[in-house]
């Protein structure tokens, strides 16, 4: 959708929000685009000077490409001759500018936001699939989506770069969705998206709170858990209808925040709620459970594994039912849907079970282990995992404590080390291991997977966690090709089946 917005509209709105500290330039200017990447500027653009380490040279580049105005935290000499909008808070101002330029596209969509520590991407993908099936039956367009894995707005259908896009990008997706006739937009909402106004100015019709546990605590994310938790709860301040998991930790605090919404609906697995999942069964084909809600009883099956995925399925079904989706679309979708890299099981001929999953933080590790205890009671558990570099340092001791308490052997391996040394990250994890605990620290992820698959005793469950279906490792120079956890797991289980169990090359013989 083409927009031509008078600069005066930006001035008025920024002033109303208490953000404008100064402006100078052409009062009759009309803006035809907004960009924070100087390379993408075109004639008539408003250039957005974002980032704590913004380089003024970008203004020069933006002007060369046709930008006629800039928005920044202070005036820059490089912007001489351009119209300047100077603001007190650049993050808030970016969201306001996007809302002004794209003319509040969220108002033309049914907005659904989903937050929580674990299960966001699975839940939003399930919900989109359910809504799309229902829409197809009604001759309606599919739902839009921005998640940690995918963006779909009717124009763009591509892998995602961030859990929640930058606010200008998000508004552009919403504008595409509204212009393409989409009626619903589902947004996976991260804590930083709420704290740093990536969803600023947007009001959600429905807001889903899945769960909470410590995560994303670091010098560049959240200083402590309370800041992280408070950021998550900000979703309720901009939501009409709250959906809350009654099994979540800190439930009283969550419900207190949700009281700001006009309506509250609860869901829970094996617990009292408006929508309940009861009588859970699991087998090699997947999961089954009974959905009980407001007098409705429906037996549902899903090919997904892991009890926590019943919770994700229940969350998606709850929202869908409240939106008027018929039960048949929900049942059909859950029975058919598969997720690459989520609780994928593989077995050797002699009884070793390998599980590949994206689990990468405290709550997701605990949920995977709980599933193993239910499905393989008494089985020894081996872990192959690492932790991301340059962020979320609090995960490392959390994962170390869980692995020490639950694991019989641990292989610490790279998992997107970024600008940190893998061995340094591993050392922070292994600091939680007791003396004599069986572990190795490796700089080669494949080496850990190989040794575990070939040497595990029959009956062992080997958890390969962190990367799921990803086929790249983020190193100091950006993403680097990686064969993938599942292909490597399958490769070495096949070698085990052909050659038999082999002694560990990494652990000393007992």
């Amino acid at each position: 959708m083409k927009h031509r917005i008078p600069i005066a509209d930006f001035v008025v709105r920024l002033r109303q929000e208490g953000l404008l500290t100064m402006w100078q330039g052409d009062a009759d200017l009309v803006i035809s685009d907004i960009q924070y990447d100087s390379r993408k500027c075109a004639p008539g653009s408003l250039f957005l000077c974002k980032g704590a380490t913004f380089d003024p040279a970008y203004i020069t580049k933006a002007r060369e490409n046709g930008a006629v105005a800039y928005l920044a935290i202070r005036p820059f000499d490089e912007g001489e001759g351009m119209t300047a909008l100077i603001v007190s808070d650049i993050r808030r101002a970016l969201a306001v500018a996007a809302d002004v330029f794209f003319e509040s596209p969220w108002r033309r969509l049914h907005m659904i936001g989903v937050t929580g520590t674990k299960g966001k991407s699975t839940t939003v993908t399930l919900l989109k699939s359910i809504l799309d099936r229902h829409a197809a039956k009604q001759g309606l367009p599919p739902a839009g989506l921005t998640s940690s894995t995918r963006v779909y707005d009717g124009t763009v259908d591509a892998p995602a770069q961030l859990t929640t896009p930058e606010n200008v990008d998000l508004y552009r997706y919403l504008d595409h969705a509204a212009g393409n006739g989409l009626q619903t937009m589902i947004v996976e909402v991260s804590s930083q998206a709420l704290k740093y106004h990536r969803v600023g100015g947007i009001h959600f019709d429905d807001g889903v709170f899945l769960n909470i546990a410590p995560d994303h605590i670091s010098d560049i994310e959240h200083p402590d858990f309370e800041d992280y938790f408070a950021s998550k709860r900000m979703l309720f301040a901009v939501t009409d209808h709250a959906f809350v998991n009654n099994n979540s930790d800190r439930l009283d605090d969550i419900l207190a925040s949700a009281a700001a919404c006009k309506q509250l609906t609860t869901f829970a697995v094996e617990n009292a709620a408006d929508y309940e999942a009861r009588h859970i069964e699991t087998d090699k084909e997947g999961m089954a459970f009974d959905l009980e809600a407001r007098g409705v009883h429906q037996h549902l099956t899903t090919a997904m594994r892991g009890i926590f995925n019943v919770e994700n399925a229940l969350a998606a079904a709850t929202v869908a039912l409240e939106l008027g989706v018929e039960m048949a679309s929900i049942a059909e979708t859950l029975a058919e849907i598969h997720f690459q890299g989520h609780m994928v099981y593989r077995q050797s001929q002699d009884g070793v079970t390998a599980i590949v999953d994206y689990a990468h933080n405290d709550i997701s590790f605990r949920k995977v282990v709980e599933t193993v205890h239910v499905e393989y009671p008494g089985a020894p558990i081996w872990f192959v995992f690492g932790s991301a570099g340059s962020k979320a340092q609090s995960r490392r001791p959390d994962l170390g404590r869980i692995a020490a308490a639950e694991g019989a052997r641990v292989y610490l391996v790279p998992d997107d080390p970024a600008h940190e040394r893998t061995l340094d990250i591993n050392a922070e994890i292994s600091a939680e291991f007791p003396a004599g605990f069986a572990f190795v620290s490796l700089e080669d992820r494949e080496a850990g997977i190989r040794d575990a698959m070939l040497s595990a005793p029959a009956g062992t469950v080997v958890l390969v966690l962190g990367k799921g279906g990803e086929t790249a490792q983020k190193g100091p120079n950006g993403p680097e090709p990686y064969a993938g956890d599942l292909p490597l797991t399958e490769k070495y289980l096949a070698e085990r089946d052909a050659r038999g169990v082999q002694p560990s090359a990494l652990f000393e013989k007992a």
Side-chain angles (χ1 to χ4, degrees):
M1 188 180 299
K2 298 290 186 181
H3 299 273
R4 289 181 56 80
I5 307 299
I7 194 72
D9 288 7
F10 294 92
V11 172
V12 168
R13 181 72 177 280
L14 289 167
R15 186 174 285 149
Q16 288 175 342
E17 299 289 340
L19 292 168
L20 191 69
T21 61
M22 185 186 83
W23 86 279
Q24 60 186 21
D26 184 356
D28 296 323
L29 201 62
V30 175
I31 300 301
S32 58
D33 195 12
I34 59 173
Q35 293 287 350
Y36 60 82
D37 186 337
S38 61
R39 297 165 297 182
K40 295 181 180 179
C41 285
S45 296
L46 168 64
F47 180 52
L48 310 170
C49 306
K50 67 180 288 286
T53 58
F54 176 75
D55 185 346
Y58 293 138
I59 297 180
T60 302
K61 181 65 175 177
R63 182 169 57 184
E64 291 172 352
N65 287 337
V68 292
Y70 71 94
L71 183 150
I73 200 73
R74 66 175 179 85
F76 289 98
D77 292 340
E78 289 81 358
E80 185 177 356
M82 299 173 68
T83 294
L85 302 174
I86 308 305
V87 297
S88 56
D89 185 329
I90 193 63
R91 288 193 176 105
R92 285 181 57 206
L94 292 179
V96 171
D99 194 48
V100 170
F101 180 75
F102 292 108
E103 301 177 85
S104 305
W106 52 272
R107 295 184 185 274
R108 306 192 295 278
L109 298 160
H110 186 95
M111 297 294 301
I112 303 173
V114 179
T115 198
T117 302
K118 175 176 174 54
K120 297 187 297 298
S121 62
T122 299
T123 300
V124 298
T125 303
L126 283 170
L127 182 56
K128 174 172 166 54
S129 298
I130 292 169
L131 296 183
D132 286 357
R133 185 182 292 268
H134 173 73
K137 293 177 180 179
Q138 307 297 320
L140 298 173
L145 174 70
T146 65
S147 76
S148 57
T149 58
R150 181 187 177 196
V151 172
Y152 175 77
D153 62 14
T155 297
V156 177
D157 189 355
Q161 301 301 313
L162 294 169
T163 299
T164 310
E166 294 286 359
N167 42 33
V168 176
D169 297 326
L170 177 57
Y171 270 88
R172 200 177 303 276
Y173 296 141
L174 298 181
D175 187 54
H176 288 166
N180 287 322
L182 275 59
Q183 298 180 4
T184 300
M185 195 74 181
I186 306 167
V187 180
E188 181 178 340
V189 185
S190 68
S191 58
Q192 292 189 71
L194 291 158
K195 180 176 181 178
Y196 296 125
H197 308 286
R198 290 187 199 160
V199 293
I202 296 170
H203 195 89
F204 291 91
D205 298 280
D206 302 310
V208 184
F209 199 104
L210 296 171
N211 45 56
I212 193 69
D215 199 19
H216 292 290
I217 298 168
S218 71
D219 294 341
I220 62 172
E221 296 170 293
H222 299 279
D224 53 38
F225 172 70
E226 291 304 323
D227 182 79
Y228 171 67
F229 185 32
S231 297
K232 289 284 191 185
R233 301 200 311 276
M234 289 170 66
L235 178 63
F236 295 127
V238 291
T239 293
D240 287 337
H241 189 168
F243 292 80
V244 173
N245 178 5
N246 263 4
N247 282 335
S248 180
D249 290 347
R250 300 288 294 266
L251 181 61
D252 289 345
D253 293 325
I254 295 169
L255 292 175
S257 296
C261 302
K262 296 177 182 178
Q263 186 177 355
L264 170 66
T265 298
T266 58
F267 59 93
V269 173
E270 302 288 7
N271 197 3
D274 296 319
Y275 290 80
E276 302 171 2
R278 299 281 185 179
H279 312 121
I280 298 169
E281 301 172 355
T282 180
D283 59 29
K284 293 181 179 180
E285 302 303 317
M287 311 284 293
F289 64 95
D290 293 332
L291 173 59
E292 300 177 359
R294 308 188 194 280
V296 175
H297 176 95
Q298 178 70 38
H299 187 69
L300 297 171
T301 61
T302 176
M304 298 184 296
R305 302 287 295 271
I307 294 173
F308 55 86
N309 274 323
V310 172
E311 199 164 73
N312 298 330
L314 177 63
T318 297
V319 176
L321 288 168
E322 287 291 306
L323 292 177
V325 174
E326 77 286 355
M327 187 66 77
S329 289
I330 295 170
E332 291 162 5
T333 302
L334 294 183
E336 295 175 4
I337 198 161
H338 294 265
F339 289 94
Q340 182 182 13
H342 291 263
M343 293 300 287
V344 179
Y345 290 60
R346 294 292 185 267
Q347 283 85 24
S348 68
Q349 293 175 358
D350 63 353
V352 168
T353 299
I355 302 176
V356 175
D357 190 72
Y358 280 106
H360 59 275
N361 56 22
D362 175 278
I363 189 171
S364 57
F365 261 52
R366 286 191 282 113
K367 294 292 187 180
V368 170
V369 170
E370 288 171 10
T371 296
V372 172
H373 287 323
V374 170
E375 297 183 352
Y376 302 92
I381 301 174
W382 287 14
F383 287 85
V384 182
F385 74 97
S387 191
S390 304
K391 68 175 184 178
Q393 286 91 340
S394 65
R395 290 177 184 169
R396 301 167 192 178
D398 292 341
L399 302 187
R401 284 189 288 270
I402 295 170
E406 302 288 349
R409 177 176 290 187
V410 171
Y411 297 80
L412 295 177
V413 294
D415 183 352
D416 294 336
H419 295 282
E420 292 190 68
R421 294 179 65 248
T422 295
L423 296 183
D424 291 340
I425 296 171
N426 292 350
E428 292 186 42
I429 298 171
S430 63
E432 302 298 322
F433 297 164
F437 185 76
F439 81 97
V440 289
S441 178
L442 306 170
E443 294 183 281
D444 183 346
R445 191 174 180 94
E446 180 174 354
I449 294 172
R450 180 185 187 278
D451 195 81
M453 297 306 151
L454 295 180
S455 67
T460 301
V461 176
V462 182
L463 301 179
V464 184
L465 305 179
K467 297 203 69 64
E470 295 175 0
T471 54
Q473 283 274 23
K474 297 175 184 175
N477 299 315
E480 301 169 356
Y482 168 61
D485 285 354
L486 184 58
L488 291 175
T489 295
E490 292 174 336
K491 173 183 176 180
Y492 292 115
L493 285 179
E495 181 177 332
R496 178 192 182 102
D497 288 343
R499 299 175 53 197
V501 63
Q502 300 176 38
S504 171
L506 300 174
F507 287 83
E508 293 183 7
K509 296 180 180 179

